[in-house]
Amino acid sequence: MYKSGQRQHAYDNKDISLVENNGLLRYPSALNFYDRPPQFDVTVEEFETTAMDRLRVLAEIESSLARNRTWEELKTATYNQYMKYVPLHTNTYDDTEEERRKDHLGHYVLRLAFCRSEDLRRRFVKAELTLFRVRYEETEAMDREHFLSSRDFNWIPVTKEEKVQYNHGLYSMYHAFRHEQDRADAFEKEKFYKVKWTRVPDLVEKRKVFLKGGWAYVPGREQSSIVFKEFEVELERALETTARLIPRLDEDSRLIPVLDNLSQGFVAGVASEWTNATEPGSSGEIRAEMVDDLAKKHFPMCMRSLHENLRRDNHLKHFGRLQYGLFLKVLGLSVEEAIAFWRKSFSRVTDDKFNKEYRYNIRHSYGLEGKRANYPAKSCLQILTPGPSDVGCPYRHFSSENLQTALLSMYSQQGLKSADLPEIMATVDAGHYHVACTRVFEMTHAPHGVAKGEGIGGGESVTHPNQYAARSMELAKVKNEDDKMVE
């Protein structure tokens, strides 16, 4: 994004100049190889929010890949996610230019965030390539042809004479047709393109091309493989170039924390925040005596572990209290009920000590003391990447043996079996902790009609402990109402 000699040192208080402002670029197609950097000014806020929206899409792609979804399932989930956060419409849409500007900017910001290690670059390329493939397939044929004609992919159209010369070899690739006439008709209409075989290793592996003299003869129906490979190679090269230039950004103290936060979100596998998680728990719907039962039936492992530690020790350290207390607040525990809950939980503490050391902190977390801020509950991203004194995510921070023991201890009564553990542990070992949590949700809520791949609804993965608990409670409420109707 920054070019040598073009970095600006005299920023104003709001704007970041990505490159010299030469006016807005035009985006003739929804498909983009992102080979020209953005040439417009953006605010620091837009710099971050645009990247976060795109990261939500890439995180969903990673989740889908980790959950071994079929291509059609992955495509549907990805399409829904990007149309929600980074929508791209056809050229007839009114805000096409603005949509594509946001798409362009978000991609380049994430390049900065994920160019700094080989693992991040590999994951970023894989997710971006998948997003490009989905968009390519969803783009209308006319727009797709316009995009292909706008770039030089360095392929050589096969002439009619060459098609006749290698008729036997080219025709042999049409074995999938049931009827010979259909096969002959398809072959007659097909256009072929010639590229070096190293550009289409996937087609070579699947024997979908004819090879001759180091050239691969690619049928038109497989033309997209050339496009996808070109996208992948160019993005890998661009990321390596960006990695060499990234130290020049160190002088801008506003950007580095943003980029660090984005890359941490990708490492954790989570980008999105639960949108309902900022409301204070002032509804009073949950009473102190209900928490034990709710924990056993509806809490995610991180919060259930804290609850069991509290019940075992009659105490939690400061950061444990903070994390669990904010979770309960957002779940619906009022400040009065929270004080009652913690007072009963700290049964070994005298009334005087409780009032002096704990009551103030409880009221403070509800915005009733101190600066009176409404503190939100911690998201999965924050729990997955804790500080040295924070309480972390069991899927990430428990040993393999302890995690499996804890899972069976906590969730066997909800249907989790020993036979389910290998699948859960495979996602944990791959670093997809939120996917493991989502699979546990699906397995333990199968009696409520939750199918594999459905997640917490619409295929979405768990991104917030309160999201997990709220959805679990909602499913239980629906089931209870259905049972009453049957009676």
Side-chain angles (χ1 to χ4, degrees), residues 81-144:
Q81 195 78 342
Y82 83 67
M83 289 303 290
K84 179 178 180 181
Y85 292 109
V86 194
L88 283 182
H89 291 85
T90 62
N91 291 326
T92 58
Y93 189 68
D94 290 340
D95 292 328
T96 297
E97 193 75 9
E98 180 57 29
E99 284 184 349
R100 295 176 186 177
R101 173 187 177 278
K102 179 180 178 180
D103 174 72
H104 192 192
L105 173 62
H107 172 88
Y108 266 87
V109 177
L110 293 189
R111 271 196 197 182
L112 288 175
F114 303 135
C115 70
R116 294 181 284 178
S117 76
E118 184 177 348
D119 178 62
L120 284 176
R121 290 195 295 269
R122 175 184 56 79
R123 292 173 65 176
F124 181 65
V125 169
K126 187 174 183 179
E128 279 284 343
L129 176 59
T130 303
L131 176 60
F132 181 83
R133 287 185 62 191
V134 172
R135 285 176 167 172
Y136 187 90
E137 293 190 10
E138 292 294 329
T139 300
E140 296 178 359
M142 184 179 298
D143 290 340
R144 193 161 56 230

Side-chain angles (χ1 to χ4, degrees), residues 291-331:
V291 176
D292 283 340
D293 188 54
L294 291 174
K296 293 178 182 178
K297 295 178 180 179
H298 304 297
F299 287 8
M301 195 175 189
C302 54
M303 296 304 156
R304 186 157 178 180
S305 179
L306 285 171
H307 183 82
E308 292 189 359
N309 290 344
L310 176 62
R311 287 292 174 255
R312 183 191 65 221
D313 302 331
N314 298 114
H315 191 265
L316 280 178
K317 293 183 179 180
H318 173 73
F319 288 100
R321 295 198 306 273
L322 178 62
Q323 182 171 311
Y324 192 42
L326 291 174
F327 167 81
L328 293 175
K329 180 189 81 166
V330 173
L331 199 64

